[in-house]
Every structure is written in C-alpha cells, then in structure tokens.
Amino acid sequence: MEGTSRPLTVSTKLQRIAEQAKSYPEMEFTTLAHLMDVDWLREAFHKTSKTASPGVDGVTVRQYAEHLEENLRDLHERLRNGHYRAMPVERVWIDKEDGTQRPIGKPVLEDKIVQRGVVMLLEAVYEQDFYEFSYGFRPDRNPHQALHALREQCMEKNIHWIVDADISGFFDSLNHTHLVDILKLRVKDGGIIRLIGKWLKAGVLEGEALTFPEQGTPQGGVISPILANIYLHHVLDEWFVREVQPRLKGRAFLVRFADDFVIGCEIESDARRILAVLPKRCNRFGLTIHPTKTKLVRFGRLPRGTQADDQNGTLDFLGFTHYWGLSRQGNWVIKRKTAKKRLRRALKAFWKWCRENRHRPIQEQYTQLCAKLRGHYQYYGVRHNYRALAAVRDYAGRAWRYWLARRTRTGRISESVSNMLDKVFDLPRPRIIHAI
C-alpha cells in the first residue's frame, strides 16, 4: 500500500545505532530496549549456541525450537510488560593449571536469548568506543591478533620494559554499582539497566544451595564478556590513553584480551610509575592487582651480534611464553613457545582422555585424537613453537599406546598392532598455522 513503510530489519537497526554512536561519542542512549521485538529475539536465538548445556529448567534448544515463534512471542510479551524474570545460574567447576578450580555459570536458554539480544545492542554502541588494542570477545578479533600486536609494538616502539599485570578474580569481583554507573555514561536506558541488574542478582545454584553474590558476573553467561570489556574499557583503557600516556617520557602501549593485559614501556622510570599507580586505579573500582603475579619485566631488544643477556626476562601472555631470540639471519626477534602451565595441562588432558576412552574402538579413538591434536595445533601452531607441538604429539602417541596395552592380558601391544598404529593410525604431524 502506498504511504506505508516497511519495518526496519535487525541489521538496519544495528547499523543506525552504530552510526549514531560513532558520530556522537558523548551521546547517551536512552531508548534501546524497545528495539528488542520478536524479530530481534529470533535473531538472538539463531546466534545462541545450539550445543550449550541447558540450565536449571532443563529446556534444550531443540525443545524450545519446536514452538519457536510461540515461545518468542510469549518471551517478548513478558519483556514488554515487565513480567520477565531471570532464572538462577547453575554453577559448575573446571580445573585450572595451578590445581585450583574456576566457576562457570550455565544460564537457562531464555536468559541466553535475551542476553544475546542485549549484547547485540551494546556491541552496536560500544564497538565504536572500544580501542584497537582491546581484542577479547569482540567481533572479528582473536588472541592471535593480540599476540601479533604485542610483538609488533615491542619491536616498533623500542620497548625495554613490560608491566605484566594480573587482576585477582576479575569476574568474581566486578562491582555491580560501579558497573551500572559506567554503563549509564553511554547507555541510560532504564529497561536495559534493569535487565542487566536482574541477571547480576538472579542468584547462583550450586547443588541444592542457592546464593546471591553481591559482586561479580558468572563466567559462562552470554552477557559477561561485553560487561567485562565495558568495565575495563573505562577502568583501564581510557585511563591509559587519556591520563597515563600523555604523562610518559617515552613511548608505551597497552594490549588487552578481556582481563588479561600487558603494558610495554620504552623507559624504565615510566614502567615503574605505571606499576605504582595501577593498583590504586584498580582499587578505586573494586579490583585488586595480584601482588605476586604482577611484576616488572626487562624485555628489550639486544644489539645485533651480542650474546643473550641473562637480565632479559620472559613474558607469559595468552598461553605463550614470549622471549627474545636470534633469527636465522642473526637478528634479535621475539619468539614464542607454549607456556609451561599450558603444556602440562595439554599433556595431562591427553593422558586422561586416553585412559577414560581406552575401551572404545581403535578407529573411533584415532579420529578423536586426531581432532584434538589438530585443535591444539590450531591455537599453538605459531612460528618458533614447533618443538612444543612435536612434544605434545609424541606424548599423545605414547599415552595412547600405553592405555591400548592395558586392554590386553599381557599389558603389551603385539607387533602387528604396533605396525598398524605406525602405518594406518599415524597421528597428524605438527603444523605452523599462524606466521606471526
């Protein structure tokens, strides 16, 4: 019919928000929640992981999808009239490299859908604000880009000192009041703020015990990564760009991946000043810089033709140990190898998997082991790290043979089976995937 306008698509709405955010960096967005209509929720559903475990209500993606349109209309109506309630998050624990455990939250499916819808809104706004040196949990960004940036910045800016910082339990100590105050600097929509408040206060179910933490955001929640980025964008990134860098005598850089970050400085005095004020800045927003894990590392290029300097340190970042070494041309360059903790964790995981799956058919075990090794190479396959990759492959092969032998009465693999493993079930060789 002439004179009628077609409803805006989700992508068009997102584009308009992004354009406004980019054109008006000081603008406060006060009307965003009304954009989350049924079409928006449908898009959010399709972007939600289909393999994630169900939450406390037990509803799976397949069950929800059987009556998708009806479920989404009902969800939208509850959001519109204020009857939407966030469900408690089920907490599970996973092992860390140091022997401790890290909590992971499992929200219910509907909470994931609504959280994804809010993430879409927040990304459209904050992607225009976030700095280039922030790489964690952002569209079209990955850890290897952060690793590349770290290397290039160190070499281009003649960096000699690294502030290797660690925030203690960031996701567990994120202050709700500070978070809301930071959000309101850019997103002052009461509907969005109330939704985020509901998820933060929904409670955590562990076994039969339901608790209501007064701080932190559960890792595993769809909304958690962008809330972390918004928090640290204000606490760390903007502070570094606007207040720290202008006061430094030499060049410096910041590279951050979620709550994992390093600061590089050309001059030692600048690095020591940052190391002194960083804990005060974080304490102001309820965060604690770990006193023993945070340190100052001498990390500088050596003159061509010189020998290795024992005073030059190493840096662990994103699963790699970074160090200065000689290239084939005799130049000092930054190299990387798998960090010892990550290497131990990988070896332990292969041993455990081979032990727990030793009774499955050999072909099935082989297929799974190959997939696991290729996944390991996909992340750790960087230049100068071939030796660590080969160590993982060799260990996986030995673990597999050991636990296959345990299936026999003699505890040994026959010569024919050994030959078959060598020729037919040869594990994939290490590959350098990332030339960084």
Side-chain angles (χ1 to χ4, degrees), residues 6 39 43 72 85 99 167 173 219 251 263 270 274 280 305 349 360 396 411 420:
R6 297 178 60 184
D39 291 338
E43 181 71 15
L72 292 179
R85 295 289 182 270
I167 300 177
S173 57
Q219 296 186 60
R251 291 173 290 182
I263 299 174
D270 287 340
I274 292 174
K280 300 174 185 177
R360 296 168 67 178
M420 179 182 66

Side-chain angles (χ1 to χ4, degrees), residues 57-231:
D57 63 354
V59 176
T60 65
V61 173
R62 174 177 291 185
Q63 291 170 337
Y64 199 83
E66 290 177 357
H67 304 284
L68 181 61
E69 293 304 314
E70 180 182 340
N71 288 331
L72 292 179
R73 285 195 296 270
D74 177 66
L75 177 58
H76 175 251
E77 181 63 23
R78 281 181 280 133
L79 286 169
R80 193 179 63 83
N81 60 27
H83 291 167
Y84 166 80
R85 295 289 182 270
M87 295 284 287
V89 174
E90 182 181 359
R91 174 176 284 173
V92 295
W93 296 85
I94 62 172
D95 294 331
K96 295 177 66 176
E97 300 97 326
D98 58 4
T100 60
Q101 291 186 314
R102 178 163 60 95
I104 292 292
K106 292 165 51 178
V108 301
L109 179 59
E110 278 202 339
D111 287 346
K112 292 177 186 176
I113 295 172
V114 183
Q115 287 184 22
R116 177 61 61 188
V118 172
V119 168
M120 289 159 59
L121 288 171
L122 295 179
E123 277 185 351
V125 175
Y126 283 99
E127 277 300 312
Q128 320 313 313
D129 297 350
F130 290 157
Y131 291 101
E132 285 296 314
F133 55 72
S134 169
Y135 292 91
F137 307 113
R138 294 181 58 191
D140 303 319
R141 288 176 171 252
N142 58 61
H144 294 97
Q145 293 172 336
L147 293 169
H148 177 73
L150 172 61
R151 179 184 184 276
E152 294 303 303
Q153 296 269 32
C154 282
M155 300 187 73
E156 290 176 5
K157 296 184 176 180
N158 195 30
I159 297 300
H160 284 83
W161 298 89
I162 295 286
V163 177
D164 183 8
D166 182 271
I167 300 177
S168 301
F170 170 74
F171 285 92
D172 295 327
S173 57
L174 189 146
N175 184 282
H176 294 175
T177 302
H178 286 311
L179 174 61
V180 171
D181 291 340
I182 291 169
L183 281 168
K184 286 181 178 179
L185 295 174
R186 198 66 158 122
V187 177
K188 218 166 187 177
D189 185 314
I192 299 297
I193 299 297
R194 281 192 294 273
L195 282 174
I196 292 173
K198 287 181 180 182
W199 296 321
L200 294 175
K201 299 175 182 177
V204 175
L205 185 64
E206 188 172 354
E208 300 294 326
L210 178 62
T211 59
F212 297 91
E214 296 182 358
Q215 60 185 18
T217 174
Q219 296 186 60
V222 179
I223 196 70
S224 295
I226 194 167
L227 293 183
N229 271 336
I230 292 169
Y231 203 86

Side-chain angles (χ1 to χ4, degrees), residues 151-152 154-160 298-304 306 312 324 331-334:
R151 179 184 184 276
E152 294 303 303
C154 282
M155 300 187 73
E156 290 176 5
K157 296 184 176 180
N158 195 30
I159 297 300
H160 284 83
R298 181 182 171 188
F299 194 76
R301 186 203 304 267
L302 299 175
R304 182 182 174 88
T306 60
N312 229 7
W324 284 92
N331 298 317
W332 286 100
V333 297
I334 295 175

Side-chain angles (χ1 to χ4, degrees), residues 261-279:
F261 67 94
V262 293
I263 299 174
C265 294
E266 185 178 12
I267 301 175
E268 180 182 359
S269 60
D270 287 340
R272 293 195 179 278
R273 288 173 61 196
I274 292 174
L275 188 62
V277 299
L278 182 61

Side-chain angles (χ1 to χ4, degrees), residues 8 21 31 37 41 75 100 103 146-147 174 181 191 202 221-222 234 241 310 318 325 336-337 347 351 366 406 408 422:
L8 297 177
T31 55
D37 54 16
L41 294 174
L75 177 58
T100 60
L147 293 169
L174 189 146
D181 291 340
V222 179
H234 178 79
V241 171
D310 291 338
L318 297 181
R336 305 176 184 87
K337 59 184 178 182
L347 300 183
W351 180 269
Y366 173 71
R406 294 291 296 268
T408 67
D422 290 335

